[in-house]
Amino acid sequence: PLSRKTAEFFRALGMLPLEAYGTSENTIPLAMNRPGRHRLGTVGPVLGPNELSLSATREVLVKGPGLFHGYWPDISGGVDAQGYYHTGDEGRWEGGFLQLMGRTSEIIKTSTGRRLAPTPIETHFKELPFVDQAVVLGNGRKGPLLIVTIDPAGKDSAPAPDLSEDMGSALRTHAAKLPRLSRPLGALVLSRAFSVLSGEATANLKLRRHVIEQRYQSLLDELELAAAKTTDDAPLVWFLTSADVRAQNLRTLPT
């Protein structure tokens, strides 16, 4: 999904972004904003003659005349018994407009049974000028944990702050703007970016969540444990690391 902040930026310049949504398996776009009927932060109302539905887990389902018959060579596996194609995208309705939340395969299920979409949380933290990449993890944990990498040049000509209390304060303040259940228990801040060479990103720069989680598992375990020991109403514990994470040179910021 397009960042809400990015959409508002272009609208402020007098260029209205009209988001749309489709899949290769359906030749007709599924939903589309249009002049006179649009809402920022959504991909628009359903575009006929599609039939869109949300499953019990909020997966976007579609059927209609533009839908394929299935994947070659076994065409029986693409569409369910009711004729719906399961897109793998999670969505929700907002006044008749479809809002995409992320991929269902990336949904986090915490140890308390809560289901969280990581993409909106990651997008929220990437609004900070010093954050380059963000990934939210937390399957089987008490809550989401955040890993961010730092853009040393900063965005919007704003230099990145030092790996210090200033950065931790900025992260905590930004986290407080999220709904309580979406706030990370803590964040791990890395001074190097995830890359294709390190195996943490694909060739088109999508982050490999399982690789990142395995690589930083011990640090995430420490972060979750430290968060559990806090008594703060918003238990945000921030660790800062050097570029050499293997050294585990951790420093806890004061709350």
Side-chain angles (χ1 to χ4, degrees):
L2 181 68
S3 162
R4 179 66 177 264
K5 185 176 181 180
T6 300
E8 291 175 346
F9 171 79
F10 280 105
R11 184 172 65 174
L13 293 178
M15 296 183 290
L16 178 65
L18 298 173
E19 291 186 75
Y21 166 56
T23 69
S24 300
E25 291 83 356
N26 196 61
T27 58
I28 305 170
L30 276 66
M32 181 182 295
N33 283 289
R34 60 208 76 171
R37 193 181 181 194
H38 54 80
R39 180 174 296 186
L40 291 186
T42 76
V43 292
V46 177
L47 192 64
N50 294 310
E51 294 182 43
L52 255 63
S53 178
L54 298 183
S55 71
T57 58
R58 299 192 297 187
E59 182 178 9
V60 179
L61 312 180
V62 60
K63 68 178 177 179
L67 188 63
F68 76 156
H69 292 288
Y71 295 104
W72 183 265
D74 180 14
I75 64 171
S76 63
V79 180
D80 67 18
Q82 287 73 43
Y84 281 100
Y85 166 64
H86 294 237
T87 64
D89 295 316
E90 180 178 358
R92 67 182 181 186
W93 296 111
E94 187 178 302
F97 291 75
L98 179 64
Q99 183 179 30
L100 296 180
M101 307 303 295
R103 296 289 294 170
T104 57
S105 60
E106 297 176 349
I107 296 299
I108 294 171
K109 187 173 183 180
T110 66
S111 60
T112 59
R114 295 202 311 271
R115 289 170 55 86
L116 296 171
T119 302
I121 304 174
E122 294 163 353
T123 301
H124 177 74
F125 282 98
K126 285 193 285 188
E127 293 175 354
L128 289 170
F130 58 85
V131 172
D132 182 18
Q133 300 160 307
V135 60
V136 173
L137 306 165
N139 274 318
R141 299 183 183 273
K142 292 183 178 180
L145 296 173
L146 172 70
I147 303 180
V148 297
T149 66
I150 301 306
D151 182 352
K155 303 172 187 172
D156 303 324
S157 301
D162 294 332
L163 296 182
S164 65
E165 286 77 4
D166 290 341
M167 183 178 293
S169 177
L171 286 166
R172 281 193 293 271
T173 299
H174 210 58
K177 299 176 183 178
L178 289 169
R180 181 174 179 79
L181 295 180
S182 297
R183 296 175 193 167
L185 299 177
L188 183 66
V189 182
L190 307 179
S191 58
R192 70 166 183 85
F194 301 122
S195 68
V196 177
L197 291 177
S198 68
E200 298 160 337
T202 65
N204 59 357
L205 301 183
K206 291 182 180 178
L207 298 184
R208 298 182 183 274
R209 295 175 183 273
H210 66 286
V211 173
I212 294 171
E213 186 163 21
Q214 290 175 359
R215 185 156 296 172
Y216 300 101
Q217 183 172 354
S218 61
L219 299 182
L220 293 171
D221 290 344
E222 288 189 50
L223 187 57
E224 183 181 18
L225 181 62
K229 294 179 180 179
T230 64
T231 57
D232 196 318
D233 184 52
L236 301 173
V237 181
W238 306 101
F239 285 120
L240 304 179
T241 74
S242 67
D244 186 4
V245 179
R246 290 170 299 178
Q248 297 195 15
N249 180 22
L250 299 179
R251 182 163 59 88
T252 305
L253 293 173
T255 58

